[in-house]
Amino acid sequence: MIDKLEKVKTTCVYCGTGCQVYLKVKDGKIIDTKPVRDGFNPGLGKLCIKGWNLHEFIHHPDRLTEPMIRKNGVLEKVSWDEAINYIADKFKQIMKENPGDKRVIGCLSSAKCTNEENYVLQKFTRAVLKTNNVDHCARLCHASTVAGLAAAFGSGAMTNSIDEIADADVIYITGSNTNEQHPLIGKRILEALHKGAKLIVADPRTIPLSELATDHDGIQMNQRPGTDVALMNGMMNVIINENLYDKEFVEQHCENFEEFKEEVLKMTPEKAAEITGVKKEKIIDSARIIGKGKAVSLIYSMGITQHTTGVDNVKTTANLQMLCGNMGKWGTGVNPLRGQQNVQGACDLGALANVFTGYQKVVEADKREKMAKEWGIDVNEMDDQIGYTVVEMMNAAYDGQLKALYVMGENPMVSDPDINHVREALKKVFLVVQDIFPTPTVELADVVLPAASFAETTGTFTSTERRIQMVREVIPPIGNSKYDWEIVGLIAKAMGYDGLQYSHPKEIMDEINRVTPIYGGITWDRLNQTDKGLQWPCPDPSHPGTVFLHKDGNFSRGKGHFHAVPFKEPAELPDDEYPLILSTGRVLWHYHTGTMSRRSATLNARVPEGYVEVSIPDATKLNIVDGEKVKVSSRRGEIELKAKVTHRVKEGLIFIPFHFKEAAANVLTIAALDPIAKIPEYKVCAAKIQKI
Ligand code: SF4
């Protein structure tokens, strides 16, 4: 009987909602997943299709189980000692040959790894490799959130909690396909609708939420990709002109209103309609609903952030919510939904080129002194400049400046923009890849290190609502694989640094508590005693944690800052040669670069290959039928995949999910970056489709 099997409670890894699961074990194998129904669960005792099949990839025969070194062009099995010493010698040699050059080695950390593992890798990068060249794929998804919300509010995270969404009376969702990407958060939206909430959805594609909005007497808008600032400025123009804004909140809790207002008043609804392609009446009606709402929750995701204007877009969401006083109260706020399970934690733990843990800036001398003291290193040897971000590392590798790259749990050969360029860059460096499966990035590695999966690891993840929850070791590491934190410690030791020798992740969390004010009270013991986890900020062990930020309009930075944000066009617009706009994203059945979900038999059976969504008018024009194989190209490359002819995209727009390495959407995408967040513009580039 399955119910009598041993079961271990842990956290789902397929999105940032943080649903709690039991993994069931038989004869040393994880054979089933069940939702936690006998305790706290952000998923309210339910799982989505990915969650139900969480166990399927863990024992897949493709798992990497032995360290390997490339010899004569072929990856050969070696001992751990040989692999670790080889890496340590190579890193030391590169540092010796480039004395004082802090840009010659880089590390990619991972939103798939635990908080403790991310802490360890950023510490290794800074204390041993003496560089701030550490980053991870939050740079590619929510770097604009971190920068934009920090500038507006003083804190770059989801302001409110998942539970509150069900109590909002208006929900404005833009650039988030919530029901497919965060299904259990989508459930809270449904709950709110059943209580009478109004739903407004702005998305270039018609997504399931768009249909829900229409069905529930809400508003659905398909704006032209990359015109979010114009859309929201147009709405705020109406809110100000019709005196629907919260004057008291603005006067008492915000600053720079007049400059912001001057900019917004330039964007009339007529002008916004012309730029966005959304009917003026819909912009006006949406503005009135939001302006009159009592508790408006604004939800967004990568449709807002993955633009060269990503930070502008995020600042505009902050402007809208401050304008109507929808901050610091239950059921309100600016709520960016995080995609990978620990992308919030990897940012919090300093796996970013510009900050230590808790967003303490690397350019501030007192923060470097604090870390140097804790880590037992000479502060004068630390890097005092911001390091290279993900895309900058690839460019530096391509240019020959970066000599080595250590990748822990990332797959840039599928996730990064302009993959042909990434391939050339990675071929030029000494490449170490630590992962659980052979990925296209592993195929280019000089050394491969097999890591334990989440089910073989103890630690913590931080969910999208800033909630730190336990991840528990259900079975020991498979084969000859090791914990990520243990591997990093072995390389550090071989390089002569003893400050990364831990016997258990608890010791790492103790250190995190000491150096990270927002995690100061999130102790290992407390996490083990509560089934609810703890939400940061939680500065000391007596603090209960924080459900929503900026309570009563008391913003983390003092006053909320309005930014005057003019509309700017995307970096690459369609033209005669490439007449379509390509946008990329995800599907319900898969997770990130497909490394895990495509090894889940159930999930892969539903969507086994990539496809391109084409509008009915474009398909008719090009004489393309549903299911036909086509060639899609951009200025950077071309791929072949099946066409899906659908009403989901409007004429002139195509959409490709990025999970599939054989038809990698990122061969086509552009590496144009937001100037502040350095996030690439995945959501807009020019492309064309041809019959084969
Ligand atoms: Fe897992 Fe996210 Fe689905 Fe919850 S909503 S079961 S965390 S994938």
Side-chain angles (χ1 to χ4, degrees), residues 574-589:
D575 53 21
D576 289 346
E577 197 181 355
Y578 294 98
L580 302 170
I581 293 178
L582 164 68
S583 197
T584 65
R586 303 165 190 235
V587 300
L588 168 63
W589 310 95

Side-chain angles (χ1 to χ4, degrees), residues 11-21 41-43 46-52 54 181-185 339 341 588 591:
T11 303
C12 178
V13 295
Y14 274 142
C15 87
T17 305
C19 296
Q20 296 296 289
V21 297
N41 187 348
K46 300 206 169 349
L47 296 174
C48 73
I49 187 69
K50 288 200 283 288
W52 278 110
L54 186 57
Q181 301 315 321
H182 299 84
L184 272 305
I185 295 181
Q341 78 273 25
L588 168 63
Y591 172 76

